[in-house]
């Protein structure tokens, strides 16, 4: 990461207009992840920096939502740990959280489940996004579902990325912990790199707001 | 936490105990607890060493307690001596004794009438520190921060003695950041805030303020600027 991507704490407060009190309160409530606080030594001593794009997006999100939700609700929504949401098949269909194609793919792969845990919905949601974007076909969706189901829990709520790679028509996918760098031989092509925590946030907002009803 | 079917752990003799879930933990003897403890009330008036983390509603240490992990609680009161190997997260922390934390301390309210050493960030909404002995913390962040020397006569008597034992009534800190800040008898490298007031006896390298800045005549501020 080079310096252009970082923003100092001072600049952040200036741009967003928030105060130190607010920033520390949000940190305390885990609205801003610990790993975004990057300490560096400058000529004035230690300074704290943040990844610019991420922190600005997060602060704007908090500022826009803090009137409607309490800080604890917000924290729950923004934390990468899965919430305790359980939905039935009908509810998922009705609330149009994922497309029917991906839902059927999940049921075909793992059999029908009475209730879908947050994680299961997350897996379907990830595959759904990729299918809709045209990055993968159904067969590949199945591989991703299986990979996620088998391995995602091993990250224990830690932030991770899903990588989908293709070479000469042969495709594979894997999970790596977030921020780590991976390099491939030149023939391989990274079709998609998804940050699971980002997806979780999206999904949580969708679940909380209800999603658009299915026509 | 439901307290049904949970037993009390009472250590009034000398011994070791296993960790786990309890209703109340009361230690008045000498006790080692091997493992994480989860309980409603944790009281230690004896000597104890917890080889793990404590999760409780309220923790009161009036004896000597070493914790080899984290502390998570609503209310933490230290009247004796408490040593925490990792971080502390609480809603209210009160110190009347000696307190040492090796990592960050997060709390809504932080009140100190004793001495403390925090090797990480002290992050609290309201910070109220009266200096009796030397207090040390790497960083302070919060909404309102108030540091002053206790002026009751009883302590004046000890002042000279404390200073000869190189334990002056001072706060030593790297950075202080908050909205409303009043500090005195503090050594800090950087103080940043909205309204900053520096009281007597302070040695500050840089003050950066947004709205207001006041300085006592007996304070030493090398550089200050409005941002």
């Amino acid at each position: 990461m080079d310096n252009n991507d970082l923003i100092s704490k001072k600049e952040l407060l200036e741009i967003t207009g928030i105060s130190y009190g607010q920033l520390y309160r949000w940190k305390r409530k885990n609205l801003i992840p610990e790993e975004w606080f990057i300490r560096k030594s400058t000529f004035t001593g230690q300074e704290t920096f943040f990844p610019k794009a991420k922190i600005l997006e997060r602060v704007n999100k908090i500022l826009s939502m803090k009137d409607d939700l309490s800080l604890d609700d917000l924290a729950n929504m923004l934390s990468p740990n899965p919430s305790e949401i359980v939905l039935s098949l009908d509810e998922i269909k009705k609330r149009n959280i994922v497309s029917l194609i991906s839902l059927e793919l999940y049921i075909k792969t793992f059999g029908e489940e009475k209730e879908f845990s947050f994680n299961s919905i997350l897996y379907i949601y990830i595959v759904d996004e990729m299918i809709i974007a045209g990055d993968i076909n159904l067969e590949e969706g199945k591989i991703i579902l299986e990979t996620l189901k088998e391995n995602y829990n091993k990250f224990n709520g830690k932030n991770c990325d899903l990588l989908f790679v293709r070479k000469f028509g042969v495709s594979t996918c894997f999970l790596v912990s977030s921020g780590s760098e991976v390099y491939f031989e030149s023939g391989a092509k990274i079709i998609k790199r998804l940050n699971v925590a980002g997806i979780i946030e999206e999904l949580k907002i969708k679940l909380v707001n209800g999603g658009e009803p299915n026509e | 936490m439901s307290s049904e079917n949970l037993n009390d752990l009472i250590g009034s003799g000398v011994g070791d105990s296993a960790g786990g879930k309890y209703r109340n933990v009361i230690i008045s003897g000498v006790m080692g607890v091997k493992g994480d403890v989860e309980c409603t009330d944790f009281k230690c008036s004896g000597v104890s060493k917890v080889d793990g983390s404590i999760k409780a509603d309220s923790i009161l240490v009036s004896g000597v307690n070493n914790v080899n992990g984290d502390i998570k609680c609503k209310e933490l009161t230290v009247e004796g001596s408490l040593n925490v190997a990792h971080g502390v997260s609480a809603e209210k922390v009160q110190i009347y004794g000696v307190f040492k934390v090796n990592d960050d301390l997060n709390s809504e309210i932080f009140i100190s009438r004793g001495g403390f050493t925090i090797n990480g960030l002290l992050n609290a909404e309201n910070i109220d520190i009266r200096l009796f002995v030397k207090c040390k913390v790497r960083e302070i962040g919060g909404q309102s921060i108030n540091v002053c020397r206790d002026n009751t006569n009883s302590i004046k008597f000890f002042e000279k003695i404390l200073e000869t034992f190189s334990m002056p009534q001072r706060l030593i800190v790297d950075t202080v950041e908050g909205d409303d800040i009043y500090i005195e008898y503090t050594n800090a490298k950087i103080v940043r805030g909205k309204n900053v007031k520096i009281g007597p006896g302070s040695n500050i390298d840089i003050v950066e303020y947004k709205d207001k800045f006041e300085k006592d005549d007996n304070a030493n501020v090398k550089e200050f600027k409005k941002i």
Side-chain angles (χ1 to χ4, degrees), chain B residues 93-95 110-116 128-132 135:
Chain B
V93 175
Q94 286 172 290
I95 302 165
F110 180 87
I111 298 169
S112 168
R113 302 283 181 270
F116 59 87
D128 179 10
I129 298 169
R130 290 273 172 84
L131 298 164
F132 283 89
C135 297

Side-chain angles (χ1 to χ4, degrees), chain A residues 9-10 13-14 17-29 34 37 39 44-48, chain B residues 104 106-108 121 123-125 138-143 177-179 190 192-194 206 208 227:
Chain A
K9 198 188 269 172
K10 221 188 295 174
L13 298 192
E14 224 166 90
I18 58 170
S19 68
Y20 283 112
Q22 271 173 309
L23 187 70
Y24 280 105
R25 194 175 311 138
W26 294 346
K27 185 188 184 193
R28 223 162 41 235
K29 297 279 184 193
E34 183 77 47
F37 287 76
R39 300 173 58 80
T44 50
Q46 285 273 347
E47 276 246 47
T48 308
Chain B
D104 295 354
N106 291 305
S107 173
E108 293 305 310
L121 165 72
N123 180 350
E125 188 78 20
R138 203 190 69 204
E139 265 178 273
I140 297 181
Q143 209 269 323
E177 292 178 334
D179 292 349
I190 303 174
R192 299 189 182 101
K194 215 190 266 172
I206 303 170
E208 289 173 1
I227 45 169

